[in-house]
Amino acid sequence: MTVHLLSLHPGTTLHDERGLLTVRHRWGATTTGPYTPQLAAALRTLADGPTSLDGLAERIRAAARAETPAEPQLALLRHAVDRLGHTLLRHITADAQVLATAVPLAPEATFGREPAPDAPVVLARAAHLRPVGDSLALESPRSRFRVRIEDGRAAAALAALARPVTAAELQSSVRDLPADSLDALRSLLHATGFLHPADDGSRAAAAELPAGWSFHELLAHDGSRAGLRDRQYGPVYPLRDTEPPPPPVAPARPGRTVRLHRPDLGRVAREDRSFTDVLENRASRRAYGEHPLSLAELGAYLYRAARVRTLLDARPEEGRHYAVTGRPYPSAGSAHELELYLAVHRCDGLDRGLYHYDPLGHALTALPGGPGTVDRLLHESAAATGGAPPPDVHLTVVSRIKRLSWKYAAHAYALTLKNSGVLLQTLYLVGTAMGLSVCALGGGDSDTPVHAFGLDPYDEIPVGAFLIGSAPTAP
């Protein structure tokens, strides 16, 4: 026997506020109407655990007296259930076993009223399963519900719904569940936006990903934007109580140190092209001069674009919970999590090889790795630039992502991509001002720089690449 049950989300409380029944929940507070002891008692039953709506109605009828008839209280109950849709959990059971539970994830979560159609239906292409707590969870960036799959038979039904099926075809595929349980599961999935008609026309299109979107990009976009969801978001310092913040500058890598030239910024300011000239002439250039970039030019370039200008200690009493640096480009939360790794192909005064840039000491540290490693990075740059000649220097932008995730929840990766864009533009502008050939790469294989520079693939993640070289001589 299939039973539909309701419960209030854990932590929800009921209050009599000036004669109005007010329900306080994770999204705030909702007033459902006049406070009555009968209605409050019924809703407190939902707070205690899953109960059927019919069971609540019976409680109200049982408590009714001649002077307080049941019907007005039942109407208040139905109104309260409608108003509390964003904090009500909906459970489907079969033979006293919970099959699935729909959990609202946002205040705008609306449980659909239309039953699942008789025509073939299919799971939304943005839907995905993942472990959450002790059960599997069905989620989608296009739904404001999570459906907990709490019985293996419900999971088998999801597998069958990966292709368009009718109710009869679903029943033949999942023989362990009676027809009414499968119908209830279909209705729950349809009402929460996971199941769509698969017949021709616009209704079938609703099951597909939006045009121009890939699954992983849609998921990342939804997960990295603000909004009232059942997750932490923003500068909430999720790791503050479990580990110290990563240092503001990456620890020095072992290896031979190459001190870099520090340009006279006063002279640079007097002799540089105007900002408007630099901005208007910025372009991606993939042709390089006969003579290579010099070590002095490389030092001046890195100094102007990426050095540490200031270093400030943590001051929790002032709201600065970790040490921060100031650099020529801005960074979310002054985290400055981006590191620069260099594959040097040709540079007058510097050996061909791999290096890490120390922005505090303004120096390069030579890293292990033979000529073949440099060649692999240059091969990737050629593939990304349509076979252009190799640059003098291939820069890999690497994010120490925990500098951001220590402070920010839910959107640290999105922030590091924005920071990368800011740094790439700074590299462009400085290169243009210096008369160099510079070009950002639009993609690449993360494994190549991870292996080349000996990175931790989840703590130090490649997020960009940039090419630098001397400019060809004008004819």
Side-chain angles (χ1 to χ4, degrees):
M1 178 181 177
T2 300
V3 179
H4 298 260
L5 303 177
L6 302 174
S7 66
L8 286 170
H9 193 277
T12 304
T13 58
L14 285 74
H15 306 269
D16 179 358
E17 297 187 358
R18 299 180 180 180
L20 297 175
L21 181 57
T22 300
V23 181
R24 299 198 173 276
H25 45 73
R26 53 188 169 159
W27 316 126
T30 301
T31 299
T32 66
Y35 180 94
T36 69
Q38 298 92 328
L39 177 61
L43 293 181
R44 286 196 180 95
T45 301
L46 292 179
D48 293 337
T51 308
S52 70
L53 192 58
D54 289 342
L56 294 178
E58 285 303 315
R59 289 175 62 93
I60 286 177
R61 291 190 184 97
R65 299 188 298 273
E67 64 275 14
T68 55
E71 191 53 43
Q73 300 301 317
L74 293 174
L76 288 174
L77 175 63
R78 289 190 291 270
H79 178 71
V81 168
D82 286 342
R83 293 272 293 158
L84 297 174
H86 50 45
T87 194
L88 277 175
L89 278 60
R90 299 170 187 268
H91 316 263
I92 294 174
T93 67
D95 301 323
Q97 170 64 40
V98 177
L99 296 176
T101 298
V103 182
L105 300 181
E108 67 269 21
T110 302
F111 195 79
R113 296 180 179 274
E114 294 183 6
D118 294 330
V121 292
V122 67
L123 273 178
R125 294 299 140 187
H128 56 280
L129 276 172
R130 69 182 183 97
V132 174
D134 297 329
S135 61
L136 282 176
L138 182 67
E139 297 179 332
S140 167
R142 305 190 76 183
S143 172
R144 290 297 171 248
F145 287 87
R146 173 185 297 130
V147 176
R148 293 202 305 252
I149 306 301
E150 306 189 57
D151 188 291
R153 295 171 295 175
L158 291 180
L161 287 165
R163 61 180 178 84
V165 290
T166 63
E169 290 169 335
L170 183 62
Q171 180 63 47
S172 65
S173 299
V174 187
R175 299 183 180 275
D176 292 339
L177 281 176
D180 64 336
S181 296
L182 284 172
D183 286 342
L185 181 60
R186 288 172 76 249
S187 294
L188 183 78
L189 296 174
H190 182 257
T192 50
F194 288 97
L195 207 59
H196 297 276
D199 53 355
D200 293 335
S202 60
R203 295 199 304 168
E208 301 300 323
L209 294 171
W213 283 89
S214 66
F215 167 76
H216 72 279
E217 288 173 318
L218 187 64
L219 185 63
H221 171 69
D222 180 74
S224 65
R225 302 299 294 173
L228 292 173
R229 306 286 184 264
D230 75 330
R231 63 171 185 264
Q232 288 186 313
Y233 183 89
V236 295
Y237 299 91
L239 301 179
R240 180 167 51 185
D241 295 333
T242 58
E243 56 185 270
V249 179
R253 299 285 294 266
R256 176 174 57 89
T257 298
V258 179
R259 299 295 174 187
L260 293 174
H261 169 64
R262 296 171 179 259
D264 179 346
L265 292 184
R267 180 177 178 181
V268 168
R270 292 190 300 272
E271 298 180 356
D272 247 1
R273 301 157 68 176
S274 73
F275 176 73
T276 299
D277 182 41
V278 168
L279 198 61
E280 292 300 312
N281 284 280
R282 185 222 54 82
S284 295
R285 295 184 170 88
R286 307 177 187 89
Y288 307 102
E290 178 183 354
H291 300 289
L293 189 72
S294 72
L295 180 58
E297 287 176 313
L298 179 60
Y301 180 77
L302 293 173
Y303 188 86
R304 294 176 63 175
R307 78 186 188 282
V308 170
R309 295 192 297 202
T310 58
L311 175 61
L312 300 176
D313 292 334
R315 291 284 184 88
E317 68 278 8
E318 298 177 7
R320 191 167 68 235
H321 297 281
Y322 56 8
V324 299
T325 61
R327 309 191 191 190
Y329 59 94
S331 175
S334 295
H336 282 110
E337 80 287 2
L338 301 177
E339 298 289 322
L340 294 179
Y341 286 83
L342 290 72
V344 174
H345 170 54
R346 58 173 201 166
C347 182
D348 188 10
L350 186 64
D351 293 338
R352 193 174 193 269
L354 304 178
Y355 299 86
H356 171 249
Y357 176 57
D358 171 11
L360 184 60
H362 189 53
L364 296 177
T365 302
L367 303 176
T373 307
V374 175
D375 291 340
R376 282 191 289 274
L377 288 164
L378 295 178
H379 176 75
E380 286 207 349
S381 70
T385 54
D392 293 348
V393 176
H394 176 293
L395 279 181
T396 298
V397 181
V398 171
S399 170
R400 292 187 297 134
I401 188 70
K402 199 172 285 186
R403 274 287 291 176
L404 285 166
S405 60
W406 191 84
K407 178 177 180 179
Y408 297 100
H411 64 143
Y413 186 70
L415 288 176
T416 208
L417 295 183
K418 294 172 184 176
N419 289 344
S420 300
V422 171
L423 174 56
L424 293 178
Q425 174 70 337
T426 303
L427 294 171
Y428 261 119
L429 297 179
V430 173
T432 303
M434 293 180 62
L436 304 176
S437 286
V438 290
C439 177
L441 296 187
D445 182 353
S446 291
D447 287 342
T448 302
V450 162
H451 294 308
F453 299 114
L455 307 176
D456 183 310
Y458 296 106
D459 284 344
E460 301 168 290
I461 56 175
V463 289
F466 199 81
L467 311 180
I468 313 165
S470 63
T473 304

